[in-house]
Amino acid sequence: MFYSHKKTNSPTQLLISLLGGAPFLLFLHLYAVNNCDASFIQFLQMLWSESNVVYQIFPSPFSSVAWKSLTFITLLQLIFHLVLPKDFVTIVNSMGERECHPVNSFQSCILVILLFIFGSALGFYKASIIYIHWVHILSLLNVVSIIIVLFLYIRQRSKDDDDNYSKYIRISEINHFLADIISDLFFGTDLTPMIYSVDLKHFITYRIARTLWPLYIISSVYYNCSFYGEINS
């Protein structure tokens, strides 16, 4: 009930702004912090004077390092999800229903971090690789997120009854129909989307996002040490 209420009372303009504006603001913020010492005036001057600044702000999602990093983490997490022992926890979802979930994401995250440090120590890659290519990884994650959202939306719509869906389009105003699409894309059409036996929401949040953040922190520390010769606060 809470889920539906939240969807129907959210302004469409706000949802469109968040969907379209949040990624751009994220990359603008990262560029201003990394290249302009977080100075807005310096950022505007650089935006006006440099010709290739747009590419620097919005990097290509097709970087080979970003693809390899994300693919490697995803495959490791899938393997750990299947083979590691699991704890069973009971949670209450937003509908007020109790659900039992097998979890081992924390152990998986620790193992991925240890493997990352171990691989860099063996010389397979520089430990600063995540930090250096962070914006490319974020760019790729944005593209992957859009693809997943569209896939889940289309899959859910295909499950709806065709007659009811057609009737809904005929008797409803087009503006309301478009607002419903925007709301579904923003909030999702399923509380717990599943692909085979994998809880997609849990997998992305706890196994991908919460693994990337500590990897980014560790990688930035290594970059700081290699650049300054010591950890510089």
Side-chain angles (χ1 to χ4, degrees):
M1 296 297 291
F2 172 76
Y3 185 71
S4 301
H5 176 75
K6 181 171 65 173
K7 290 178 64 175
T8 55
N9 288 278
S10 300
T12 305
Q13 294 84 352
L14 175 62
L15 299 184
I16 294 176
S17 300
L18 291 174
L19 284 171
F24 291 99
L25 292 176
L26 171 65
F27 288 114
L28 288 174
H29 171 75
L30 286 174
Y31 183 83
V33 170
N34 293 330
N35 298 277
C36 307
D37 298 325
S39 171
F40 182 70
I41 296 177
Q42 185 178 347
F43 169 73
L44 291 179
Q45 292 174 346
M46 190 172 294
L47 188 65
W48 179 264
S49 60
E50 296 189 12
S51 58
N52 61 341
V53 68
V54 175
Y55 173 75
Q56 297 177 23
I57 297 175
F58 306 109
S60 170
F62 303 108
S63 167
S64 61
V65 175
W67 278 94
K68 291 176 183 177
S69 301
L70 192 58
T71 302
F72 186 67
I73 292 173
T74 303
L75 290 177
L76 279 179
Q77 289 287 10
L78 280 173
I79 294 172
F80 293 154
H81 168 73
L82 296 173
V83 303
L84 288 181
K86 297 180 177 64
D87 296 324
F88 288 88
V89 297
T90 302
I91 63 172
V92 179
N93 61 26
S94 59
M95 302 293 291
E97 301 170 343
R98 293 183 177 272
E99 297 179 348
C100 186
H101 285 271
V103 295
N104 59 7
S105 54
F106 179 75
Q107 301 93 311
S108 301
C109 177
I110 296 298
L111 284 176
V112 172
I113 293 172
L114 291 176
L115 287 174
F116 173 77
I117 297 174
F118 186 64
S120 65
L122 292 177
F124 293 135
Y125 45 79
K126 293 183 178 180
S128 58
I129 188 171
I130 300 292
Y131 176 82
I132 294 173
H133 297 276
W134 182 242
V135 289
H136 296 91
I137 294 174
L138 290 181
S139 180
L140 175 59
L141 284 173
N142 274 275
V143 173
V144 173
S145 299
I146 293 172
I147 294 173
I148 292 176
V149 166
L150 292 176
F151 167 75
L152 292 176
Y153 176 80
I154 294 172
R155 187 182 70 169
Q156 183 63 31
R157 284 303 187 187
S158 66
K159 294 179 181 179
D160 295 339
D161 183 76
D162 292 335
D163 294 334
N164 292 336
Y165 188 60
S166 300
K167 183 180 179 181
Y168 173 78
I169 295 177
R170 288 195 299 269
I171 65 176
S172 302
E173 296 181 358
I174 188 65
N175 290 336
H176 180 73
F177 176 63
L178 292 176
D180 187 60
I181 292 178
I182 297 298
S183 180
D184 285 342
L185 290 176
F186 185 84
F187 291 107
T189 54
D190 193 353
L191 281 175
T192 54
M194 302 287 292
I195 295 182
Y196 296 104
S197 62
V198 178
D199 185 336
L200 195 60
K201 187 185 297 184
H202 182 275
F203 187 88
I204 293 175
T205 303
Y206 294 98
R207 294 182 179 274
I208 303 299
R210 293 195 179 180
T211 300
L212 280 171
W213 277 117
L215 288 179
Y216 171 77
I217 294 172
I218 294 171
S219 183
S220 63
V221 171
Y222 273 97
Y223 178 83
N224 189 282
C225 290
S226 63
F227 190 82
Y228 294 103
E230 59 181 1
I231 298 179
N232 188 347
S233 58

